[in-house]
Each structure stands twice: as structure tokens, then as C-alpha cells.
Amino acid sequence: TATEPEMTYKVAISFDRCKITSVTCGCGNKDIFYCAHVVALSLYRIRKPDQVKLRLPISETLFQMNRDQLQKFVQYLITAHHTEVLPTAQKLADEILSSNSEINQVHGAPDPTAGASIDDENCWHLDEEQVREQVKLFLSQGGYYGSGKQLNSMFAKVREMLRMRDSNGARMLTLITEQFMADPRLSLWRQQGTGITEKCRQLWDELGALWVCVVLNPHCKLEEKSCWLRQLRKWGEMDVCPLEDGNYGNELPNITNALTQSSGHSQ
Ligand SMILES: [Zn+2]
């Protein structure tokens, strides 16, 4: 809008075999979905591919330079960004000049402009830390204050990814499941012998239903299936993992519980 000051952000997008594999944006927006600037740049690149100049990876360009040119290049680079870059430049200089530093144990250096090699895994960028943080936050709110709704919208996202055969679907579901398993209330409920709360049970049901979709997916490879099976077994063997009916099996059946469960199962 007109009241907002105009801001310029630096956006970087890496892609590999038609998939966006990583994104960074100076706006600092933290979300599991791409910010508007990343989306805008992606659309620009798709609609006007000739406007984006194709360059050699920077490591190739550096290789063409001699000693003096490299010196000039680095000094100009540091001068152009000296407040941002100088601490890193000095740290790197110290490390390179110390013979037993870690940086001197490996040959070569990373090049973010080079793209991936053919046998590198390539998958769509997903901010794993952000998924973990959000699920943890929503679970800590116990499904209240709209957090249940938020979790359901994350489930819907997974469902959508599975429908598009996006491999991030199972990846995101794994991250969500890990956070569900790490929910501190699980061990509490187990100690107290109470079943998990109704709100929580519904979420666990949805989680289970999505895993069924993943494992029954006719397009997934056998090795992927055996990998998920191992993971699911591992979770299933953990003490805190609730049983299918949401209880821990060590309490007397409670009539109201049994009723809500049977109504839940008939959906
Ligand atoms: Zn942004």
C-alpha cells in the first residue's frame, strides 16, 4: 500500500533440475511457505528467462584469474560490503593461515553458484526448522487458540503435496510426526494412565491417516516403503507412543471414552 515505505530485499533462489532447492530472502519472514519476494522472483525467472543473465559458476570465473586479479577481486569485494563481510573475511583468513585448521583439511571450497552434481539428491526446498518450530508451538497450545486449525492446515498441505506426488509430503509428515512424538504431554498422560485428550486424539488420527496415504501410495519405490516402515516401527516401539485408540491400554475402559472413540472411528 502507499503508506508502506518501499523496501528492497536481496533474494537468492537455487534450483536443480526444475526444482527450487533452496531460498533465502532478506525480509526475514519465517514461514514454511515462501515469502512474496521469493514467489515474485520465481515468477520473473519463469516468465522472462532471457532477462536473467546466465553466468558461469563463480568458482570457474575465479579459476581464470591470476594472483593479482584475485587480490584485486577480494579487496574490492570486501570494500563493497565491508561492514557485513569483514568479520567473516578475517575469520577465514585466520583459518586459512593456520595449518591445522579444519578448513585446511578439505580440498577445495564450496560454491553456492555451481548448482548440484548429477547424483546429488534434489528436492523442493522446505524449511525443516520452521516446520518443527511451528508444530511444536501449536502442540504446546494444546489444540486451543486456533492451533488445532493451524495443525489441520499443515495436514492439508501434506495431503496436497501427496496428491501432487511431491516428495516433500512424506518429508513434512515425518517432521510433524517427530514433534508429535516429542510432545511432553504424552509421557504425562502415560504416567497418569489417562488417555490423550479428544482434541489431540483427532490430530493423531489425522496423522495416522496421512501415513496410510504415504505407505499405500502406488507410485512410491520399494526402498522408500521399507525406510518408512523402519521409521514407523521405531516410533511404534517408543513407550510414549499412544495406542491406536488413543489410550495406553493400562486403564479400565471408561464408558464415555469408549463412546467417543466408537463415534470417532465410524467417521
Ligand atoms: Zn522475502
Side-chain angles (χ1 to χ4, degrees), residues 163-182:
R163 196 179 307 126
M164 309 290 289
R165 296 190 204 164
D166 179 337
S167 62
N168 273 344
R171 200 168 142 215
M172 185 157 154
L173 190 59
T174 306
L175 295 170
I176 296 177
T177 312
E178 279 168 359
Q179 291 308 314
F180 268 68
M181 290 299 295

PDB file of all heavy atoms in Angstrom, residues 163-182:
ATOM      1  N   ARG A 163      -0.838 -35.478  -3.107  1.00  0.00           N
ATOM      2  CA  ARG A 163      -1.640 -35.526  -4.327  1.00  0.00           C
ATOM      3  C   ARG A 163      -0.801 -35.125  -5.545  1.00  0.00           C
ATOM      4  O   ARG A 163      -0.922 -35.679  -6.617  1.00  0.00           O
ATOM      5  CB  ARG A 163      -2.855 -34.606  -4.186  1.00  0.00           C
ATOM      6  CG  ARG A 163      -3.925 -34.884  -5.232  1.00  0.00           C
ATOM      7  CD  ARG A 163      -5.130 -33.974  -5.066  1.00  0.00           C
ATOM      8  NE  ARG A 163      -5.685 -33.983  -3.738  1.00  0.00           N
ATOM      9  CZ  ARG A 163      -5.885 -32.892  -2.998  1.00  0.00           C
ATOM     10  NH1 ARG A 163      -5.556 -31.706  -3.456  1.00  0.00           N
ATOM     11  NH2 ARG A 163      -6.396 -32.982  -1.793  1.00  0.00           N
ATOM     12  N   MET A 164       0.109 -34.130  -5.346  1.00  0.00           N
ATOM     13  CA  MET A 164       0.968 -33.664  -6.437  1.00  0.00           C
ATOM     14  C   MET A 164       2.191 -34.558  -6.625  1.00  0.00           C
ATOM     15  O   MET A 164       3.081 -34.244  -7.413  1.00  0.00           O
ATOM     16  CB  MET A 164       1.480 -32.242  -6.161  1.00  0.00           C
ATOM     17  CG  MET A 164       0.439 -31.221  -5.794  1.00  0.00           C
ATOM     18  SD  MET A 164      -0.589 -30.794  -7.162  1.00  0.00           S
ATOM     19  CE  MET A 164       0.577 -29.860  -8.134  1.00  0.00           C
ATOM     20  N   ARG A 165       2.275 -35.631  -5.860  1.00  0.00           N
ATOM     21  CA  ARG A 165       3.447 -36.530  -5.852  1.00  0.00           C
ATOM     22  C   ARG A 165       4.721 -35.765  -5.538  1.00  0.00           C
ATOM     23  O   ARG A 165       5.780 -36.010  -6.126  1.00  0.00           O
ATOM     24  CB  ARG A 165       3.594 -37.254  -7.187  1.00  0.00           C
ATOM     25  CG  ARG A 165       2.424 -38.163  -7.459  1.00  0.00           C
ATOM     26  CD  ARG A 165       2.714 -39.033  -8.642  1.00  0.00           C
ATOM     27  NE  ARG A 165       1.469 -39.475  -9.241  1.00  0.00           N
ATOM     28  CZ  ARG A 165       1.373 -39.989 -10.456  1.00  0.00           C
ATOM     29  NH1 ARG A 165       2.432 -40.125 -11.206  1.00  0.00           N
ATOM     30  NH2 ARG A 165       0.208 -40.371 -10.911  1.00  0.00           N
ATOM     31  N   ASP A 166       4.599 -34.807  -4.661  1.00  0.00           N
ATOM     32  CA  ASP A 166       5.755 -34.025  -4.213  1.00  0.00           C
ATOM     33  C   ASP A 166       6.399 -34.793  -3.052  1.00  0.00           C
ATOM     34  O   ASP A 166       5.749 -35.077  -2.049  1.00  0.00           O
ATOM     35  CB  ASP A 166       5.243 -32.647  -3.742  1.00  0.00           C
ATOM     36  CG  ASP A 166       6.346 -31.745  -3.241  1.00  0.00           C
ATOM     37  OD1 ASP A 166       7.411 -32.253  -2.835  1.00  0.00           O
ATOM     38  OD2 ASP A 166       6.130 -30.523  -3.221  1.00  0.00           O
ATOM     39  N   SER A 167       7.686 -35.127  -3.220  1.00  0.00           N
ATOM     40  CA  SER A 167       8.345 -35.963  -2.214  1.00  0.00           C
ATOM     41  C   SER A 167       8.446 -35.263  -0.858  1.00  0.00           C
ATOM     42  O   SER A 167       8.690 -35.895   0.166  1.00  0.00           O
ATOM     43  CB  SER A 167       9.733 -36.358  -2.690  1.00  0.00           C
ATOM     44  OG  SER A 167      10.509 -35.190  -2.864  1.00  0.00           O
ATOM     45  N   ASN A 168       8.235 -33.941  -0.850  1.00  0.00           N
ATOM     46  CA  ASN A 168       8.259 -33.235   0.432  1.00  0.00           C
ATOM     47  C   ASN A 168       7.068 -33.590   1.315  1.00  0.00           C
ATOM     48  O   ASN A 168       7.072 -33.297   2.500  1.00  0.00           O
ATOM     49  CB  ASN A 168       8.265 -31.726   0.218  1.00  0.00           C
ATOM     50  CG  ASN A 168       9.663 -31.191   0.035  1.00  0.00           C
ATOM     51  OD1 ASN A 168      10.631 -31.879   0.356  1.00  0.00           O
ATOM     52  ND2 ASN A 168       9.771 -29.988  -0.471  1.00  0.00           N
ATOM     53  N   GLY A 169       6.032 -34.196   0.735  1.00  0.00           N
ATOM     54  CA  GLY A 169       4.859 -34.577   1.527  1.00  0.00           C
ATOM     55  C   GLY A 169       5.260 -35.496   2.672  1.00  0.00           C
ATOM     56  O   GLY A 169       4.999 -35.206   3.838  1.00  0.00           O
ATOM     57  N   ALA A 170       5.938 -36.587   2.321  1.00  0.00           N
ATOM     58  CA  ALA A 170       6.368 -37.545   3.345  1.00  0.00           C
ATOM     59  C   ALA A 170       7.425 -36.928   4.253  1.00  0.00           C
ATOM     60  O   ALA A 170       7.456 -37.192   5.455  1.00  0.00           O
ATOM     61  CB  ALA A 170       6.915 -38.799   2.679  1.00  0.00           C
ATOM     62  N   ARG A 171       8.244 -36.060   3.674  1.00  0.00           N
ATOM     63  CA  ARG A 171       9.305 -35.412   4.459  1.00  0.00           C
ATOM     64  C   ARG A 171       8.669 -34.511   5.526  1.00  0.00           C
ATOM     65  O   ARG A 171       9.069 -34.520   6.677  1.00  0.00           O
ATOM     66  CB  ARG A 171      10.143 -34.584   3.489  1.00  0.00           C
ATOM     67  CG  ARG A 171      11.514 -34.226   3.977  1.00  0.00           C
ATOM     68  CD  ARG A 171      12.315 -33.665   2.814  1.00  0.00           C
ATOM     69  NE  ARG A 171      13.158 -32.568   3.210  1.00  0.00           N
ATOM     70  CZ  ARG A 171      13.422 -31.509   2.439  1.00  0.00           C
ATOM     71  NH1 ARG A 171      12.867 -31.391   1.253  1.00  0.00           N
ATOM     72  NH2 ARG A 171      14.223 -30.562   2.868  1.00  0.00           N
ATOM     73  N   MET A 172       7.655 -33.742   5.106  1.00  0.00           N
ATOM     74  CA  MET A 172       6.998 -32.842   6.050  1.00  0.00           C
ATOM     75  C   MET A 172       6.230 -33.642   7.099  1.00  0.00           C
ATOM     76  O   MET A 172       6.240 -33.296   8.286  1.00  0.00           O
ATOM     77  CB  MET A 172       6.045 -31.918   5.288  1.00  0.00           C
ATOM     78  CG  MET A 172       5.408 -30.870   6.157  1.00  0.00           C
ATOM     79  SD  MET A 172       4.877 -29.493   5.133  1.00  0.00           S
ATOM     80  CE  MET A 172       3.553 -28.828   6.127  1.00  0.00           C
ATOM     81  N   LEU A 173       5.612 -34.749   6.670  1.00  0.00           N
ATOM     82  CA  LEU A 173       4.862 -35.582   7.612  1.00  0.00           C
ATOM     83  C   LEU A 173       5.801 -36.190   8.655  1.00  0.00           C
ATOM     84  O   LEU A 173       5.456 -36.298   9.834  1.00  0.00           O
ATOM     85  CB  LEU A 173       4.124 -36.680   6.838  1.00  0.00           C
ATOM     86  CG  LEU A 173       3.109 -37.497   7.634  1.00  0.00           C
ATOM     87  CD1 LEU A 173       2.029 -36.613   8.231  1.00  0.00           C
ATOM     88  CD2 LEU A 173       2.473 -38.573   6.761  1.00  0.00           C
ATOM     89  N   THR A 174       6.999 -36.577   8.221  1.00  0.00           N
ATOM     90  CA  THR A 174       7.994 -37.102   9.160  1.00  0.00           C
ATOM     91  C   THR A 174       8.338 -36.062  10.215  1.00  0.00           C
ATOM     92  O   THR A 174       8.381 -36.365  11.417  1.00  0.00           O
ATOM     93  CB  THR A 174       9.273 -37.513   8.396  1.00  0.00           C
ATOM     94  OG1 THR A 174       8.915 -38.416   7.362  1.00  0.00           O
ATOM     95  CG2 THR A 174      10.278 -38.162   9.313  1.00  0.00           C
ATOM     96  N   LEU A 175       8.554 -34.828   9.761  1.00  0.00           N
ATOM     97  CA  LEU A 175       8.905 -33.756  10.701  1.00  0.00           C
ATOM     98  C   LEU A 175       7.769 -33.520  11.689  1.00  0.00           C
ATOM     99  O   LEU A 175       7.993 -33.333  12.892  1.00  0.00           O
ATOM    100  CB  LEU A 175       9.182 -32.454   9.935  1.00  0.00           C
ATOM    101  CG  LEU A 175      10.388 -32.461   9.012  1.00  0.00           C
ATOM    102  CD1 LEU A 175      10.403 -31.226   8.142  1.00  0.00           C
ATOM    103  CD2 LEU A 175      11.674 -32.544   9.832  1.00  0.00           C
ATOM    104  N   ILE A 176       6.520 -33.538  11.192  1.00  0.00           N
ATOM    105  CA  ILE A 176       5.365 -33.320  12.068  1.00  0.00           C
ATOM    106  C   ILE A 176       5.275 -34.452  13.085  1.00  0.00           C
ATOM    107  O   ILE A 176       5.106 -34.223  14.283  1.00  0.00           O
ATOM    108  CB  ILE A 176       4.061 -33.232  11.231  1.00  0.00           C
ATOM    109  CG1 ILE A 176       4.108 -32.012  10.301  1.00  0.00           C
ATOM    110  CG2 ILE A 176       2.845 -33.154  12.142  1.00  0.00           C
ATOM    111  CD1 ILE A 176       2.898 -31.878   9.377  1.00  0.00           C
ATOM    112  N   THR A 177       5.442 -35.709  12.592  1.00  0.00           N
ATOM    113  CA  THR A 177       5.334 -36.865  13.481  1.00  0.00           C
ATOM    114  C   THR A 177       6.396 -36.808  14.581  1.00  0.00           C
ATOM    115  O   THR A 177       6.112 -37.102  15.747  1.00  0.00           O
ATOM    116  CB  THR A 177       5.474 -38.176  12.685  1.00  0.00           C
ATOM    117  OG1 THR A 177       4.621 -38.108  11.548  1.00  0.00           O
ATOM    118  CG2 THR A 177       5.098 -39.371  13.528  1.00  0.00           C
ATOM    119  N   GLU A 178       7.610 -36.407  14.213  1.00  0.00           N
ATOM    120  CA  GLU A 178       8.680 -36.305  15.218  1.00  0.00           C
ATOM    121  C   GLU A 178       8.278 -35.366  16.343  1.00  0.00           C
ATOM    122  O   GLU A 178       8.521 -35.637  17.515  1.00  0.00           O
ATOM    123  CB  GLU A 178       9.971 -35.803  14.563  1.00  0.00           C
ATOM    124  CG  GLU A 178      10.736 -36.897  13.851  1.00  0.00           C
ATOM    125  CD  GLU A 178      11.854 -36.364  12.961  1.00  0.00           C
ATOM    126  OE1 GLU A 178      12.029 -35.116  12.867  1.00  0.00           O
ATOM    127  OE2 GLU A 178      12.531 -37.184  12.344  1.00  0.00           O
ATOM    128  N   GLN A 179       7.652 -34.250  15.970  1.00  0.00           N
ATOM    129  CA  GLN A 179       7.230 -33.296  17.001  1.00  0.00           C
ATOM    130  C   GLN A 179       6.076 -33.851  17.836  1.00  0.00           C
ATOM    131  O   GLN A 179       6.019 -33.627  19.036  1.00  0.00           O
ATOM    132  CB  GLN A 179       6.838 -31.953  16.364  1.00  0.00           C
ATOM    133  CG  GLN A 179       7.999 -31.184  15.790  1.00  0.00           C
ATOM    134  CD  GLN A 179       9.138 -31.022  16.781  1.00  0.00           C
ATOM    135  OE1 GLN A 179       8.945 -30.675  17.944  1.00  0.00           O
ATOM    136  NE2 GLN A 179      10.347 -31.311  16.330  1.00  0.00           N
ATOM    137  N   PHE A 180       5.169 -34.576  17.206  1.00  0.00           N
ATOM    138  CA  PHE A 180       4.073 -35.205  17.957  1.00  0.00           C
ATOM    139  C   PHE A 180       4.643 -36.189  18.973  1.00  0.00           C
ATOM    140  O   PHE A 180       4.200 -36.250  20.109  1.00  0.00           O
ATOM    141  CB  PHE A 180       3.111 -35.934  17.003  1.00  0.00           C
ATOM    142  CG  PHE A 180       1.967 -35.074  16.536  1.00  0.00           C
ATOM    143  CD1 PHE A 180       2.194 -33.994  15.707  1.00  0.00           C
ATOM    144  CD2 PHE A 180       0.668 -35.341  16.941  1.00  0.00           C
ATOM    145  CE1 PHE A 180       1.140 -33.192  15.273  1.00  0.00           C
ATOM    146  CE2 PHE A 180      -0.397 -34.544  16.525  1.00  0.00           C
ATOM    147  CZ  PHE A 180      -0.158 -33.472  15.682  1.00  0.00           C
ATOM    148  N   MET A 181       5.660 -36.955  18.546  1.00  0.00           N
ATOM    149  CA  MET A 181       6.265 -37.941  19.438  1.00  0.00           C
ATOM    150  C   MET A 181       7.013 -37.261  20.580  1.00  0.00           C
ATOM    151  O   MET A 181       7.178 -37.834  21.647  1.00  0.00           O
ATOM    152  CB  MET A 181       7.238 -38.835  18.664  1.00  0.00           C
ATOM    153  CG  MET A 181       6.607 -39.798  17.695  1.00  0.00           C
ATOM    154  SD  MET A 181       5.508 -40.987  18.468  1.00  0.00           S
ATOM    155  CE  MET A 181       6.653 -41.914  19.469  1.00  0.00           C
ATOM    156  N   ALA A 182       7.492 -36.045  20.326  1.00  0.00           N
ATOM    157  CA  ALA A 182       8.271 -35.333  21.343  1.00  0.00           C
ATOM    158  C   ALA A 182       7.373 -34.504  22.261  1.00  0.00           C
ATOM    159  O   ALA A 182       7.863 -33.817  23.157  1.00  0.00           O
ATOM    160  CB  ALA A 182       9.306 -34.442  20.663  1.00  0.00           C
TER     161      ALA A 182
END
